[in-house]
Amino acid sequence: MLRETLRAEAPLVHCLTNQVTVNFVANALLAAGASPAMTDHPAEAGDLASAAGALLINLGTPNESSLAAMRQATQAAERSNTPWVLDPVGAAALPLRREISLELMHHGPSVIRGNGSEILALAQAEARGHGVDTRHTAAEGVGAARHLLAQWSALGGVAISGSTDHLLGRGDGDAVDLFALTGGSAWQPRVTGTGCALGALVAAYLAISEDPMDAMLIAHAHAAAAAEQAETQAKGPGSFAMAWLDALDGVELEPFLLSRIDSGAQDRA
Amino acid sequence: MLRETLRAEAPLVHCLTNQVTVNFVANALLAAGASPAMTDHPAEAGDLASAAGALLINLGTPNESSLAAMRQATQAAERSNTPWVLDPVGAAALPLRREISLELMHHGPSVIRGNGSEILALAQAEARGHGVDTRHTAAEGVGAARHLLAQWSALGGVAISGSTDHLLGRGDGDAVDLFALTGGSAWQPRVTGTGCALGALVAAYLAISEDPMDAMLIAHAHAAAAAEQAETQAKGPGSFAMAWLDALDGVELEPFLLSRIDSGAQDRA
Amino acid sequence: MLRETLRAEAPLVHCLTNQVTVNFVANALLAAGASPAMTDHPAEAGDLASAAGALLINLGTPNESSLAAMRQATQAAERSNTPWVLDPVGAAALPLRREISLELMHHGPSVIRGNGSEILALAQAEARGHGVDTRHTAAEGVGAARHLLAQWSALGGVAISGSTDHLLGRGDGDAVDLFALTGGSAWQPRVTGTGCALGALVAAYLAISEDPMDAMLIAHAHAAAAAEQAETQAKGPGSFAMAWLDALDGVELEPFLLSRIDSGAQDRA
């Protein structure tokens, strides 16, 4: 099973992420069994992305130096076939994030992970749209995710987070596989970085899995199962965050996986 | 009551703050019910400050990029009438912080929040003073706070943190209202970011309140009541920090507010 | 005893460290009783390093601005006789870290602290070596540490972290004192920043101790004893991190110190 493989192989996951949640993301990766590296110097980012098992690009708090590092890292990842995840934080509200996302997408992310509004923003930006609202559900982002998969041939999957997560990957021929995954805890959006950490977990599982859908499914299940276990321990958002890290290490995934994943329709795009 | 309004409206609070406590500040805002955004790219800071319900400027670890963002954000806040809080961290000891503070104060902060030495430093720097000690009590900062209110007509209030917090706002005519607030926990100065988070809470309450004194009072009471509840759970500074976040979410404020606020003298300046 | 002195004097420890663990390092210093300052503006770093009781340079996530600050701070520390600790994070894998380390070492660190591979990398880089593996034990770094002590006359000690920590200092004449210290918890490498915090604790104890070996020993014992106490409370890496901060404040050191330090051979180099 992928979870045990993650612990056994402890793949190096290079994260170019935001300063708000960089500590929490590193601790989430360690708790899940991966080896995080958060170097964001432009002179180091390319080499590290080439050496890593996977790369995470999270646009939470970009600055000119970290953007230069992201360019180096995504180019190196493309050259080295390092799978990478784009988490376009803020792309729904901030034009710069959409521009950066579209630029980096030319270097072939394996998976894009975001909320419904962010996924809609990326699809609309491509069509030069404007004024995307930030309050869409994951289900509302499904059409945009299909559009992204149709337009970007190297893209392996799109994960849309929400109260029900929607995961889209490539099926046979032009088909798109769609899975919906319920579960998790209402405390998750009350702690900064639970979404960022989920993007990092997708990257970690991509490092040990050939299939983007497998990586998205196990990462989302891992995060959600840990959240449900943490909720039983939590007295508030502070203790929830701590217990979620504990549970990323200790939670049993099999019962969760059997009960919470609904295989969606395999539609022609 | 303002606290329920904060949770109901979940105002966007834009924070340009330091990298040491940015995660803790975001989590404190989320725990209290606000929506934090910590973007510090100069190209985004102005738009976000205009769109936000309130802005926090915290000088903990400035760099050239974040300073450029602070300039954009405070100018945008002034144009857009976004209320904003200045937390002049380190202004007592570091000349650069005093210079930056004085520059930004021309864009009309609603509230300045700091310890006694920082408030003294801002008042003295204005008079080209030097060598301010960093060990003043909040009470020792009251004269300096009155001076700042007299000199800066757009300034709505000054909050001085200490074992007793002193809150100064504008009364009728030239009068200055003064409130003293006791309470809190001795663990607070043993955890980095409890002061930064307090500044952010003042900003959050400014987003939903017309009156700076109301915002200062409820923010300080919220932080102090949560600290007292957290202290009952804490075995040390680590568990105190976690329990404080829990308590920002769950603590009852009414009993605290009734017992701990002393209305000070309403003096002519 | 040094631990009580640390709490009584609460020395200012200036840390130029990485953005991943800067919050955890500040909280660890506060828990142990020191006064952290994490300013990394190049215009402030020199003054603060001169005023501080000790300085920590940690190379976890360097950028051009923080590197400029590190240059200012180490030069000021050298001029002001402020003791300082170099933590060459990543020096084993990343050439830029080795270059920076060697440049800064000309300003006379009191102690270098790292894992076995990092210490080997610094010694080999000096000899223009390449390709250092990152999986060495602390014991494997001892020869390299002796080499560093022989080459850099101002260097007072080298601390090599591992399942058994190896601490090397200057003895009589050309002799090198070697101590091995067992203990700690297997959770430590599962939480980001426990090593960074250990480097900061060495700096804190250097601020109140003339002797580098004393500072290294008490810092490592403090961290390890706290880790053992935290392990008894921990349900996973999240609760371990919290409990470790609690224990840095509350743990009893004397029993640990009596049982876990083995005085090594005092060999001629």
Side-chain angles (χ1 to χ4, degrees):
Chain A
M1 171 149 163
L2 287 176
R3 190 183 179 206
E4 281 66 50
T5 308
L6 187 70
R7 285 201 264 223
E9 299 193 4
L12 181 66
V13 181
H14 182 203
C15 301
L16 290 166
T17 186
N18 65 75
Q19 61 181 341
V20 185
T21 67
V22 61
N23 178 271
F24 193 67
V25 167
N27 275 328
L29 285 171
L30 284 168
S35 297
M38 322 307 269
T39 310
D40 65 353
H41 195 294
E44 297 181 333
D47 285 351
L48 205 63
S50 295
L55 170 69
L56 169 71
I57 300 289
N58 173 303
L59 298 182
T61 55
N63 58 46
E64 288 309 308
S65 177
S66 66
L67 287 175
M70 289 177 188
R71 290 184 181 104
Q72 295 294 327
T74 52
Q75 289 168 20
E78 187 178 22
R79 282 194 304 271
S80 311
N81 293 315
T82 302
W84 68 278
V85 174
L86 175 65
D87 192 338
V89 180
L94 296 161
L96 179 63
R97 312 288 172 96
R98 288 201 289 277
E99 288 172 30
I100 300 165
S101 296
L102 289 172
E103 177 192 340
L104 298 180
M105 282 162 71
H106 285 92
H107 300 297
S110 307
V111 169
I112 299 175
R113 188 216 76 84
N115 61 37
S117 299
E118 288 157 358
I119 300 305
L120 275 161
L122 292 194
Q124 295 194 337
E126 203 191 346
R128 300 173 194 278
H130 293 290
V132 174
D133 188 84
T134 60
R135 306 278 172 163
H136 298 88
T137 65
E140 290 177 292
V142 167
R146 288 179 186 279
H147 183 67
L148 290 171
L149 285 166
Q151 292 290 313
W152 298 88
S153 59
L155 183 63
V158 178
I160 318 172
S161 296
S163 58
T164 298
D165 297 325
H166 286 66
L167 311 177
L168 292 92
R170 296 190 182 278
D172 297 329
D174 291 337
V176 168
D177 287 337
L178 173 62
F179 286 82
L181 191 141
T182 56
S185 165
W187 285 118
Q188 284 170 282
R190 300 288 306 282
V191 174
T192 191
T194 51
C196 304
L198 176 55
L201 291 175
V202 174
Y205 281 110
L206 277 172
I208 57 163
S209 168
E210 291 290 304
D211 185 63
M213 183 59 88
D214 286 349
M216 292 190 294
L217 272 173
I218 188 81
H220 283 71
H222 196 163
E228 293 186 9
Q229 181 169 310
E231 187 173 294
T232 66
Q233 311 287 321
K235 297 177 183 174
S239 48
F240 175 80
M242 181 195 75
W244 192 66
L245 291 175
D246 282 355
L248 285 175
D249 174 69
V251 72
E252 296 280 341
L253 275 192
E254 286 80 355
F256 186 90
L257 281 164
L258 288 173
S259 64
R260 298 300 178 79
I261 293 174
D262 303 319
S263 178
Q266 193 186 62
D267 304 330
R268 295 285 148 187
Chain B
M1 169 143 167
L2 287 175
R3 188 183 180 207
E4 281 67 49
T5 307
L6 187 70
R7 284 202 264 222
E9 299 194 5
L12 181 66
V13 181
H14 182 202
C15 301
L16 290 165
T17 186
N18 65 76
Q19 62 181 339
V20 185
T21 66
V22 60
N23 178 270
F24 193 66
V25 167
N27 275 328
L29 285 171
L30 284 167
S35 297
M38 324 307 270
T39 310
D40 65 353
H41 195 294
E44 296 180 332
D47 285 351
L48 204 62
S50 296
L55 170 69
L56 169 71
I57 301 289
N58 173 303
L59 298 182
T61 57
N63 59 46
E64 289 308 308
S65 177
S66 66
L67 287 175
M70 289 178 188
R71 289 185 182 104
Q72 295 294 328
T74 51
Q75 288 168 21
E78 188 179 22
R79 282 195 304 270
S80 311
N81 293 315
T82 302
W84 69 278
V85 174
L86 175 65
D87 192 338
V89 180
L94 297 161
L96 179 62
R97 312 288 171 96
R98 288 201 289 277
E99 288 172 28
I100 300 166
S101 296
L102 289 171
E103 178 192 340
L104 299 180
M105 282 162 70
H106 286 93
H107 301 296
S110 308
V111 169
I112 299 174
R113 188 215 75 86
N115 62 36
S117 299
E118 288 157 358
I119 300 304
L120 275 162
L122 293 194
Q124 294 194 338
E126 204 190 345
R128 299 175 193 279
H130 293 291
V132 174
D133 187 85
T134 59
R135 305 279 171 161
H136 299 89
T137 65
E140 290 177 290
V142 167
R146 288 180 186 279
H147 183 66
L148 290 171
L149 285 166
Q151 292 291 312
W152 298 88
S153 59
L155 183 62
V158 178
I160 319 172
S161 297
S163 57
T164 299
D165 297 325
H166 285 65
L167 311 177
L168 292 91
R170 295 189 182 279
D172 298 328
D174 291 336
V176 167
D177 287 338
L178 173 62
F179 286 83
L181 190 140
T182 55
S185 165
W187 285 118
Q188 284 171 281
R190 300 288 306 283
V191 174
T192 191
T194 51
C196 304
L198 177 55
L201 291 175
V202 174
Y205 281 111
L206 277 172
I208 56 163
S209 168
E210 291 290 305
D211 185 63
M213 182 59 88
D214 286 349
M216 292 190 293
L217 272 173
I218 188 82
H220 283 72
H222 195 163
E228 293 186 8
Q229 181 169 309
E231 188 174 291
T232 66
Q233 310 287 321
K235 298 178 184 175
S239 48
F240 175 80
M242 181 195 76
W244 191 67
L245 291 176
D246 282 354
L248 285 175
D249 173 69
V251 72
E252 296 280 339
L253 275 192
E254 287 80 354
F256 185 90
L257 280 165
L258 289 172
S259 65
R260 299 300 179 79
I261 294 174
D262 303 319
S263 177
Q266 193 186 65
D267 304 329
R268 294 285 147 188
Chain C
M1 170 149 164
L2 287 176
R3 190 187 178 203
E4 280 67 51
T5 307
L6 187 70
R7 285 202 263 222
E9 298 194 5
L12 181 66
V13 181
H14 182 201
C15 302
L16 290 165
T17 186
N18 65 75
Q19 62 180 340
V20 185
T21 67
V22 60
N23 178 271
F24 193 67
V25 167
N27 275 329
L29 285 170
L30 284 168
S35 297
M38 322 307 269
T39 310
D40 65 353
H41 195 294
E44 296 181 333
D47 285 350
L48 204 62
S50 296
L55 169 69
L56 168 71
I57 300 288
N58 173 303
L59 298 183
T61 56
N63 59 45
E64 289 308 308
S65 177
S66 66
L67 286 175
M70 289 178 188
R71 290 184 181 103
Q72 295 293 328
T74 52
Q75 289 168 21
E78 187 179 23
R79 283 195 304 270
S80 311
N81 293 315
T82 302
W84 69 278
V85 174
L86 175 65
D87 192 338
V89 179
L94 297 161
L96 179 63
R97 312 288 173 96
R98 289 201 288 278
E99 288 172 29
I100 300 166
S101 296
L102 289 171
E103 177 192 341
L104 299 180
M105 283 163 70
H106 286 92
H107 300 296
S110 308
V111 169
I112 299 175
R113 189 215 75 84
N115 62 37
S117 299
E118 288 157 359
I119 301 304
L120 274 161
L122 293 194
Q124 295 194 335
E126 205 189 345
R128 299 174 192 278
H130 294 290
V132 175
D133 188 85
T134 59
R135 306 278 172 161
H136 298 89
T137 65
E140 291 176 292
V142 167
R146 288 180 186 280
H147 184 65
L148 290 171
L149 285 166
Q151 292 290 312
W152 298 89
S153 60
L155 183 61
V158 178
I160 318 173
S161 297
S163 57
T164 298
D165 297 325
H166 286 65
L167 311 177
L168 292 91
R170 296 190 182 279
D172 296 329
D174 291 335
V176 168
D177 287 337
L178 173 61
F179 287 82
L181 191 140
T182 56
S185 164
W187 285 118
Q188 285 171 280
R190 300 288 306 282
V191 174
T192 191
T194 51
C196 304
L198 176 55
L201 291 175
V202 174
Y205 281 111
L206 277 172
I208 57 162
S209 168
E210 291 291 303
D211 185 64
M213 182 59 88
D214 286 349
M216 292 190 293
L217 272 173
I218 188 82
H220 283 70
H222 195 163
E228 293 186 7
Q229 180 169 309
E231 188 174 293
T232 66
Q233 311 287 322
K235 297 178 183 173
S239 48
F240 175 80
M242 181 195 75
W244 191 67
L245 291 175
D246 282 354
L248 285 175
D249 174 69
V251 73
E252 295 281 340
L253 276 191
E254 286 80 355
F256 185 91
L257 281 163
L258 289 172
S259 65
R260 299 300 179 77
I261 294 174
D262 303 319
S263 178
Q266 193 185 64
D267 305 328
R268 295 287 147 186

